[in-house]
Amino acid sequence: MNIEQRKKDHIALSVSGEAAYKKTAGFERFDFIHNALPEINLDEVDTSAELLGYKASLPLFVSSMTGGYSEAGQVNRIIAAFCRKHRIPFGVGSQRIMLEQPETTESFSIVRKEAPDGFISANIGGGQLANGFTEKQARKLIDSIEADAAIVHLNVLQELMQGEGDRNFKGILQGIEDLVRVSGVPVIVKETGGGINGDNARKLINAGVSVVDVSGAGGTSWSKIENHRRNQPDHPFNEWGNPTVDCILEARNAGLSPDQLMASGGMRSVLDAGKALCLGAGFTAMAQPVIRQINKGGEEGLEAWYQEYKQQFATLLCLLGCRRVEDLSERHLREVRITG
Ligand SMILES: Cc1cc2nc3c(=O)[nH]c(=O)nc-3n(C[C@H](O)[C@H](O)[C@H](O)COP(=O)(O)O)c2cc1C
């Protein structure tokens, strides 16, 4: 199967909902404490948040998703224009294909044309770093979009579920450390829905990584996507991965500050995002909800979704008596007692 068809399958399967984990990201384990006396005026609520010096309109990052063929270029164009308009940081999908097929570069570089002043992240696979990635290749990927940050995605689970995937994962951490040294931009490391545990998070920060995006289980399952593609829909590894909430708590307990901790994986509402921020993340990210909106309603659909999301986010802050995003803290949550 060619790489273009594989990428199309990925989008179709994630949007259909067939590739979602059965297990949840864990947000239902917490409830907000309602504040009947919030002492706040909704008009004074400020939803903005900062990521690596970039002031965003919301603590929301549009996760890395696509690139590498002409339709993907169109999706990247829509995401870039949207993110520029609303000051939302974002990332392109895996740029590995650019090294194998340089003619695909335009489907990535289009984002910088659409968003000259946007915050854009490059995307490099951890597997690539472990298998002879050079400084020259890093420069090529980063420079092609004049990236503000370089994202390394960890996707061992996906690779192992793919007949044609990578099999050597020795040397990824060293590769990340080398990338930090030569990239010239901050390095963000993310999973792809399997989660990053506390020990991994600590090691990444010690290697010089600026931000860890835990990308935990509870949303898109890459094991399911790959196993659907190879007609093994009931594969035993489909539910492999650690829920996002557990990853956030572990990373926080491993000493990561909100500035160093991003949360994604099954983030599906303002309430999920608010809980992630209360638990210790400084920023949140989403993939599937964004591509779903684009698929359903194009640019207009995405715009309507954003307006609703922003309004709901302001409502959440108001309900909790918080004027700013940084005011969200664990004292706004209580654990839900499981009875029965
Ligand atoms: C269609 C699609 C394509 C993706 N492609 C990439 C990719 O190329 N690089 C990457 O780092 N993550 C990729 N991801 C993973 C997401 O960035 C994210 O980590 C994961 O889907 C969990 O978030 P979600 O539950 O909001 O979808 C992709 C996700 C989707 C839905």
Side-chain angles (χ1 to χ4, degrees):
M1 174 174 294
N2 70 31
I3 199 160
E4 174 170 342
Q5 190 55 46
R6 187 166 86 211
K7 287 180 179 233
K8 282 183 179 169
D9 288 353
H10 288 163
I11 291 185
L13 277 163
S14 68
V15 166
S16 73
E18 278 175 274
Y21 276 97
K22 280 198 198 115
K23 75 171 76 163
T24 70
F27 294 112
E28 74 288 352
R29 288 184 233 152
F30 294 90
D31 209 351
F32 289 105
I33 298 171
H34 175 62
N35 183 356
L37 292 170
E39 288 296 326
I40 197 162
N41 178 342
L42 177 61
D43 292 342
E44 288 168 8
V45 166
D46 177 4
T47 63
S48 69
E50 212 172 285
L51 178 72
L52 295 168
Y54 179 81
K55 190 161 184 199
S57 64
L58 282 168
L60 175 67
F61 188 99
V62 173
S63 286
S64 318
M65 276 185 283
T66 200
Y69 59 100
S70 64
E71 279 169 48
Q74 280 314 304
V75 172
N76 275 341
R77 190 192 59 71
I78 291 175
I79 291 174
F82 162 78
C83 286
R84 182 196 189 196
K85 180 172 175 195
H86 295 298
R87 291 195 67 81
I88 298 289
F90 70 103
V92 296
S94 175
Q95 292 173 278
R96 183 179 193 159
I97 192 171
M98 259 181 65
L99 300 175
E100 292 154 20
Q101 299 174 33
E103 68 278 11
T104 63
T105 301
E106 171 67 16
S107 67
F108 295 99
S109 59
I110 191 167
V111 295
R112 186 49 81 189
K113 284 186 203 132
E114 282 294 329
D117 54 356
F119 184 101
I120 310 179
S121 303
N123 195 280
I124 300 165
Q128 278 176 275
L129 295 180
N131 290 290
F133 195 67
T134 64
E135 183 175 344
K136 198 171 158 204
Q137 289 175 324
R139 279 264 63 82
K140 188 171 179 186
L141 302 189
I142 291 167
D143 291 348
S144 68
I145 57 170
E146 296 166 55
D148 299 284
I151 289 182
V152 175
H153 69 263
L154 305 178
N155 66 340
V156 175
L157 175 65
Q158 180 191 11
E159 296 288 348
L160 288 175
M161 294 301 118
Q162 236 179 52
E164 66 273 33
D166 288 339
R167 293 294 180 264
N168 173 41
F169 309 107
K170 275 186 182 169
I172 296 181
L173 190 60
Q174 184 59 53
I176 290 172
E177 213 171 313
D178 293 344
L179 183 69
V180 167
R181 214 181 41 251
V182 303
S183 66
V185 289
V187 173
I188 300 172
V189 176
K190 69 188 281 288
E191 237 288 341
T192 42
I196 290 180
N197 69 36
D199 181 50
N200 291 162
R202 189 69 257 162
K203 283 184 178 145
L204 291 166
I205 293 296
N206 290 349
V209 167
S210 299
V211 176
V212 172
D213 172 1
V214 295
S215 192
T220 307
S221 160
W222 281 91
S223 182
K224 268 194 180 171
I225 290 188
E226 297 301 349
N227 288 320
H228 259 87
R229 286 182 54 237
R230 56 177 183 167
N231 292 325
Q232 295 188 34
D234 300 317
H235 199 281
F237 287 99
N238 280 352
E239 289 294 313
W240 185 274
N242 301 132
T244 300
V245 162
D246 293 326
C247 296
I248 299 170
L249 294 173
E250 282 194 28
R252 192 191 67 182
N253 293 340
L256 272 74
S257 65
D259 286 352
Q260 295 171 321
L261 183 55
M262 195 184 292
S264 72
M267 200 75 61
R268 295 293 177 262
S269 73
V270 154
L271 301 183
D272 294 346
K275 287 176 191 177
L277 295 163
C278 286
L279 290 173
F283 228 79
T284 65
M286 287 184 195
Q288 194 263 11
V290 173
I291 195 75
R292 227 182 87 217
Q293 289 304 327
I294 295 174
N295 248 38
K296 221 170 66 179
E299 287 165 270
E300 281 173 25
L302 194 58
E303 177 67 26
W305 174 81
Y306 170 83
Q307 293 302 342
E308 179 72 24
Y309 191 91
K310 187 155 187 274
Q311 197 183 21
Q312 287 183 6
F313 197 83
T315 303
L316 175 75
L317 290 180
C318 186
L319 275 169
L320 296 174
C322 296
R323 212 178 66 74
R324 298 168 317 152
V325 175
E326 304 89 88
D327 299 337
L328 291 169
S329 79
E330 217 176 352
R331 71 187 171 81
H332 295 111
L333 295 180
R334 65 177 175 82
E335 266 187 79
V336 174
R337 277 199 208 106
I338 316 271
T339 51

